[in-house]
Amino acid sequence: MHVKEYNLGDAYFFLPIREYDNRCIYKYLVRTVYADSIVYRYARKQSIKTVYTDRTTLETYNDTLKSVVLANPGFDKLHGEPIVTDYSAYQMYMRNDEFRMKISPSRMNELYVGNGPCLSAIAGEGCLPEKRYIAGLGGPYYYCGGYVGDSEERKLVYYKKGESEWGEKLVITGVSNFKTRDRLQVYPNPFTGEITVEYPGTENFTIEILNSGGQKVFVNNVSTRNRFQINLSVFPSGVYFVKAITGKKAMVQKIIKH
């Protein structure tokens, strides 16, 4: 699978990241099914170009990783069947166009608990895309454009599964040699409540979580383990960045709260 993610920050507000170009080539090797999850082992080639307000960085990877997919009760619902949580209500729906997919609606189409006993629609602006999950090809895939020039996109551009092949292969330019590098892992992503953070090192480190505006919303010093859980169920929906800091080195992973 070849997947491209591209985010463009708006031009009118000060945000730490102005442009984010993430290109990934995945080759799935092993699929293991457990009672409460599915674990994939996969090879990855990836380039991430990030343009900040004061600098530009390029990260490249060529390694083998694992991905843990946990149960999501929402995917067991029928087309149009309500999904009710402690704070909201919405429904997914199915489509069978070029792909068979299940679609999670835009947050603008979700009802939220208000000040009283009634549910009300959210009022907001910017990118609030619907998320598409393609049968057998993962997700979420989405596109949205904001009101002031910002945009977010994650799309499947190519896949090959057995004799079935679709799309055009992703070309990753500007990298002559990929480097193998340990990487911070955060899952599930997207998430609704608790996340698991796996840090590849053994030294003490600090975890910071930043919102899309660059504000710190969580800080914790970790000294005894490299795998732990954080409950973020009270956080509002949106984009966050998990940062692991040790000495002068930092690893960052982008996550999305549903």
Side-chain angles (χ1 to χ4, degrees):
M1 285 171 41
H2 295 207
V3 176
K4 180 179 179 180
E5 181 178 353
Y6 183 78
N7 297 345
L8 183 64
D10 65 71
Y12 298 96
F13 296 94
F14 179 82
L15 296 176
I17 296 179
R18 311 298 298 175
E19 185 178 349
Y20 179 84
D21 189 338
N22 179 8
R23 304 184 181 201
C24 295
I25 298 174
Y26 302 108
K27 182 177 182 181
Y28 285 83
L29 307 173
V30 180
R31 179 178 186 266
T32 306
V33 179
Y34 296 97
D36 61 348
S37 62
I38 300 175
V39 177
Y40 294 93
R41 296 286 297 180
Y42 61 94
R44 173 191 65 174
K45 288 185 177 181
Q46 181 179 24
S47 70
I48 303 175
K49 178 184 176 182
T50 307
V51 180
Y52 296 89
T53 54
D54 58 349
R55 68 190 188 282
T56 298
T57 63
L58 177 65
E59 299 174 89
T60 60
Y61 303 93
N62 184 12
D63 47 18
T64 301
L65 300 171
K66 72 174 181 179
S67 174
V68 179
V69 181
L70 302 177
N72 183 344
F75 278 87
D76 296 330
K77 299 290 185 178
L78 298 176
H79 175 89
E81 185 178 356
I83 301 170
V84 181
T85 70
D86 292 336
Y87 61 91
S88 69
Y90 64 102
Q91 61 182 19
M92 291 191 180
Y93 57 98
M94 301 285 296
R95 286 183 59 176
N96 191 13
D97 299 332
E98 188 173 13
F99 298 106
R100 185 164 61 92
M101 65 182 71
K102 181 164 279 190
I103 300 175
S104 180
S106 163
R107 310 311 285 180
M108 296 294 290
N109 297 322
E110 186 168 345
L111 298 177
Y112 289 85
V113 176
N115 294 327
C118 297
L119 295 174
S120 59
I122 189 174
E125 62 181 23
C127 288
L128 295 169
E130 65 179 16
K131 306 295 177 60
R132 303 185 174 205
Y133 299 84
I134 302 174
L137 297 170
Y141 303 115
Y142 51 84
Y143 172 80
C144 73
Y147 298 110
V148 287
D150 56 320
S151 64
E152 294 182 11
E153 178 182 36
R154 186 176 191 268
K155 63 181 180 179
L156 177 71
V157 297
Y158 171 84
Y159 79 87
K160 183 175 183 181
K161 187 176 183 180
E163 298 300 319
S164 178
E165 189 171 6
W166 172 90
E168 296 184 5
K169 294 182 179 180
L170 187 65
V171 177
I172 300 178
T173 61
V175 180
S176 56
N177 293 298
F178 287 96
K179 298 178 181 178
T180 299
R181 186 182 303 180
D182 291 330
R183 187 184 184 190
L184 181 72
Q185 294 193 60
V186 184
Y187 56 86
N189 187 17
F191 71 98
T192 57
E194 188 175 77
I195 61 171
T196 297
V197 178
E198 290 191 7
Y199 178 71
T202 58
E203 65 273 29
N204 298 347
F205 64 99
T206 299
I207 283 288
E208 295 181 355
I209 299 180
L210 291 74
N211 62 20
S212 59
Q215 299 168 316
K216 295 179 185 178
V217 294
F218 178 90
V219 178
N220 186 33
N221 295 320
V222 182
S223 60
T224 59
R225 50 193 171 147
N226 63 356
R227 182 178 185 272
F228 60 99
Q229 285 76 40
I230 306 173
N231 191 330
L232 304 179
S233 58
V234 298
F235 282 30
S237 300
V239 176
Y240 295 88
F241 297 91
V242 180
K243 180 185 293 187
I245 305 170
T246 173
K248 296 183 178 180
K249 183 175 69 173
M251 298 181 180
V252 180
Q253 179 71 28
K254 176 186 172 182
I255 58 175
I256 299 174
K257 170 73 185 297
H258 272 183

